[in-house]
Amino acid sequence: MFTTAKPKISVCVPVYNAAPFIADTIASVLRQDMDDFELLLLDDASTDESGVIIKNFDDRRIRLFRHDYNQGIAASRNFLVEQARGEYIAVLDNDDICLPERLRLQAAFLDSHPDIAMVGSWFELFAPSTVVWWRRRLVNLGWVWCHPLFPTWQDAKKGNVIMHPTAMYRRQTFADCGINYDSRYTPAEDYDLVVQALAAGLKLANIPQVLLRYNLHGANCSLTRKKQMKTADTLVKQKIAGILSCPRRYYPYILVMLRKLRLKWMIRK
């Protein structure tokens, strides 16, 4: 379970108690329509069968690591980036699904846009068969989350501008700027990472195409840790206000959803 070649892309997946989902997540990466990548998986001391499931995959592109005790999402992401050998870091969570063309299209975008340091994409929500039927039918109508093509500070003041499991960024650029995951902002450490990038003067983008399916299974951090998420989100927005030397204005999350959530038939090609 290793690769010896220096890859173009390092796909970094922190894993914690993801036994119901991790096999599908790994398979979606291995099915990519390009081969120049490594898949780094870190088992952050899971107490379920996640580690066993991962070891059942025999693929030269996989590199597996394990923590002896749970260190949390920020430390896990930082560890994976430190181990990565690729030019680009592709972020992925342990329960989401990459579309086959994701890595190829994002790498091509960064190759052709040297001024862009991080690129995300649109993504589609889906609920698995384990979710209660009425919620599954509602979620599986074909909802797509549409982030702006070139996010600005004005966008970031209202909320995160890149859905983290869709992100791909230049490893060396972020390292040179000293940008990493800060556990003080967990579980919004991904939002803070974007703010660090903007504060460093880096440019961000989103490909206006669905390249990921986001698994809304009900145990998502954003749902199970709502209070902590709200607190962390407020801290990041306070940080933005400090950087921009402007007052922090409350922006209701419902307005964020109304601006970005669309059904597939509403999206013009």
Side-chain angles (χ1 to χ4, degrees):
M1 295 174 67
F2 65 94
T3 178
T4 56
K6 185 175 181 179
K8 177 81 170 180
I9 303 166
S10 295
V11 184
C12 297
V13 185
V15 180
Y16 181 68
N17 288 352
F21 320 111
I22 190 60
D24 288 339
T25 298
I26 293 173
S28 77
V29 177
L30 300 181
R31 286 195 299 265
Q32 292 295 294
D33 62 9
M34 67 171 290
D35 192 51
D36 194 7
F37 67 86
E38 62 178 356
L39 173 56
L40 281 65
L41 297 139
L42 170 61
D43 180 2
D44 193 24
S46 297
T47 57
D48 64 3
E49 297 298 308
S50 294
V52 175
I53 294 170
I54 295 171
K55 290 178 180 178
N56 285 333
F57 285 87
D58 183 15
D59 191 290
R60 63 179 178 79
R61 295 166 293 184
I62 293 177
R63 298 171 62 198
L64 174 60
F65 306 91
R66 177 177 169 80
H67 281 158
D68 292 332
Y69 62 94
N70 183 263
Q71 297 187 27
I73 188 64
S76 294
R77 292 197 192 279
N78 285 332
F79 176 88
L80 286 169
V81 173
E82 290 169 0
Q83 304 306 313
R85 299 178 295 196
E87 178 182 358
Y88 301 145
I89 299 292
V91 182
L92 184 61
D93 286 345
N94 61 198
D95 51 1
D96 296 327
I97 304 296
C98 290
L99 270 63
E101 65 273 24
R102 178 202 167 179
L103 297 185
R104 173 177 55 83
L105 291 180
Q106 289 190 303
F109 183 93
L110 291 176
D111 286 345
S112 61
H113 294 80
D115 59 323
I116 301 297
M118 173 188 274
V119 61
S121 76
W122 293 356
F123 62 94
E124 180 182 0
L125 301 174
F126 81 96
S129 59
T130 53
V131 174
V132 64
W133 69 270
W134 61 266
R135 181 171 293 178
R136 186 169 67 251
R137 291 188 63 178
L138 177 63
V139 172
N140 291 341
L141 288 173
W143 295 102
V144 175
W145 195 269
C146 306
H147 277 304
L149 180 56
F150 295 108
T152 65
W153 274 117
Q154 287 302 115
D155 298 312
K157 285 165 63 175
K158 299 170 183 175
N160 201 352
V161 293
I162 291 184
M163 177 63 170
H164 206 52
T166 74
M168 181 181 289
Y169 63 87
R170 301 180 190 276
R171 178 171 62 89
Q172 195 58 53
T173 299
F174 272 53
D176 291 344
C177 293
I179 300 171
N180 54 27
Y181 296 94
D182 190 335
S183 61
R184 292 176 298 177
Y185 297 97
T186 297
E189 76 288 333
D190 54 341
Y191 186 9
D192 176 67
L193 192 83
V194 167
V195 170
Q196 290 183 59
L198 288 171
L202 302 182
K203 295 182 179 180
L204 315 178
N206 283 293
I207 296 174
Q209 182 176 338
V210 174
L211 297 179
L212 180 117
R213 301 186 71 223
Y214 182 79
N215 190 346
L216 202 61
H217 47 74
N220 309 80
C221 179
S222 58
L223 298 177
T224 60
R225 301 178 64 185
K226 286 184 178 180
K227 183 177 180 180
Q228 297 95 320
M229 181 65 76
K230 184 176 181 180
T231 299
D233 183 82
T234 299
L235 288 174
V236 177
K237 287 183 169 66
Q238 289 174 346
K239 181 177 181 177
I240 293 173
I243 293 171
L244 300 180
S245 299
C246 66
R248 185 180 75 86
R249 291 185 172 87
Y250 176 69
Y251 192 82
Y253 188 68
I254 186 64
L255 294 183
V256 174
M257 295 179 63
L258 289 174
R259 288 185 64 196
K260 298 180 179 180
L261 203 57
R262 300 285 186 273
L263 287 167
K264 280 185 176 181
W265 63 267
M266 301 169 65
I267 302 171
R268 295 180 179 178
K269 294 187 178 180

